[in-house]
């Protein structure tokens, strides 16, 4: 893609477009704005592809670019008093469960319980959990996306996990299974 391969760019777009649109949508709840921001990100990637390093980690880079693009768009639209970051925007993703992959009633009940617990987390913790366990990013990558230090990310994740464990109850092994299967 860096060398101008349109098919590689198309593959990149197909691979990450939905994830990025969902991520941006979780902030603004406006599908059209989310799609516009993501299209702008991909347009910039194509235009400035020669300046990209071949060692860049694609998913964290694109998530960060989408978050920054949204902040710039909101600043331009004067929605958040010329904010240059997304600190004023609440990460509002509601975790949902893929009911079709949950076969038995007990597992479904536990998945619903986890869904409820995750959705009650503070916005910043919810975003950190989303990026860590649902997007598979490491704390360093998350710190770059959220523009906070590494320790802050670890603290956010730790507080979220402690809260989840306290709300969950005794059988923590099933909780880990549910989270690791991205439910």
């Amino acid at each position: 893609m860096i060398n101008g391969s349109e098919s590689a760019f198309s593959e990149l777009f197909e691979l990450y477009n939905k994830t990025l649109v969902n991520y941006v949508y979780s902030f603004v709840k406006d599908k059209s704005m989310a799609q516009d921001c993501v299209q702008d990100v991909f347009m910039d990637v194509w235009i400035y592809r020669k300046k990209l390093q071949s060692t860049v980690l694609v998913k964290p880079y694109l998530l960060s670019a989408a978050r920054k693009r949204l902040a710039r768009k909101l600043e331009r639209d004067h929605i958040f008093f010329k904010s240059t970051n997304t600190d004023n925007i609440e990460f509002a993703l509601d975790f949902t469960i893929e009911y079709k992959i949950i076969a038995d009633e007990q597992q479904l009940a536990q998945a619903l319980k986890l869904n409820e617990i995750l959705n009650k987390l503070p916005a910043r913790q919810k975003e950190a959990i989303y990026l860590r366990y649902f997007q598979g990013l490491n704390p360093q990558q998350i710190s770059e996306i959220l523009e906070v230090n590494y320790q802050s990310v670890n603290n956010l994740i730790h507080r979220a996990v402690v809260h989840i464990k306290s709300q969950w109850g005794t059988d923590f092994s099933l909780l880990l299974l549910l989270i690791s299967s991205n439910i």
Side-chain angles (χ1 to χ4, degrees):
M1 197 268 317
I2 290 174
N3 294 326
S5 169
E6 290 180 18
S7 63
F9 178 74
S10 293
E11 190 175 323
L12 183 74
F13 181 85
E14 290 299 319
L15 189 60
Y16 292 107
N17 183 58
K18 184 177 178 182
T19 298
L20 295 175
V21 168
N22 289 337
Y23 183 59
V24 173
Y25 180 77
S26 71
F27 288 105
V28 292
K29 296 298 184 202
D30 180 337
K31 200 68 153 178
S32 178
M33 182 185 286
Q35 290 170 335
D36 287 348
C37 284
V38 171
Q39 286 177 354
D40 289 346
V41 166
F42 280 109
M43 187 171 60
D44 286 347
V45 165
W46 181 253
I47 290 170
Y48 301 109
R49 68 187 177 276
K50 298 236 184 248
K51 294 181 180 179
L52 293 173
Q53 296 177 358
S54 60
T55 59
V56 70
L57 297 173
V58 177
K59 189 180 214 179
Y61 175 84
L62 291 173
L63 287 166
S64 181
R67 194 174 205 274
K68 289 174 184 173
R69 172 60 71 170
L70 174 62
R72 283 193 304 276
K73 178 161 183 44
L74 293 175
E75 178 183 347
R76 250 191 325 265
D77 293 346
H78 302 291
I79 293 175
F80 286 97
F81 310 105
K82 298 188 181 256
S83 173
T84 57
N85 61 42
T86 52
D87 290 345
N88 296 329
I89 309 168
E90 184 172 301
F91 184 76
L93 174 80
D94 285 329
F95 289 97
T96 56
I97 297 168
E98 297 290 331
Y99 296 102
K100 62 186 175 205
I101 64 170
I102 301 173
D104 76 23
E105 287 183 39
Q106 182 180 11
Q107 191 177 17
L108 176 61
Q110 290 168 332
L112 288 169
K113 180 179 177 181
L114 174 60
N115 192 46
E116 183 179 334
I117 293 168
L118 289 171
N119 286 321
K120 288 182 179 177
L121 289 172
R124 205 70 160 162
Q125 289 178 16
K126 190 188 296 188
E127 186 176 7
I129 290 292
Y130 172 78
L131 292 171
R132 179 70 179 106
Y133 296 104
F134 292 77
Q135 292 302 321
L137 304 181
N138 66 43
Q140 183 60 46
Q141 294 165 333
I142 296 168
S143 74
E144 292 167 9
I145 291 170
L146 299 182
E147 296 178 335
V148 298
N149 67 45
Y150 178 85
Q151 189 57 49
S152 294
V153 169
N154 284 328
N155 292 345
L156 285 169
I157 293 170
H158 176 73
R159 284 188 204 111
V161 169
V162 166
H163 177 76
I164 293 166
K165 285 169 73 173
S166 73
Q167 297 297 306
W168 185 258
T170 57
D171 188 7
F172 194 63
S173 61
L174 181 59
L175 173 62
L176 292 175
L177 177 64
L178 288 172
I179 288 178
S180 67
S181 46
N182 293 337
I183 293 176

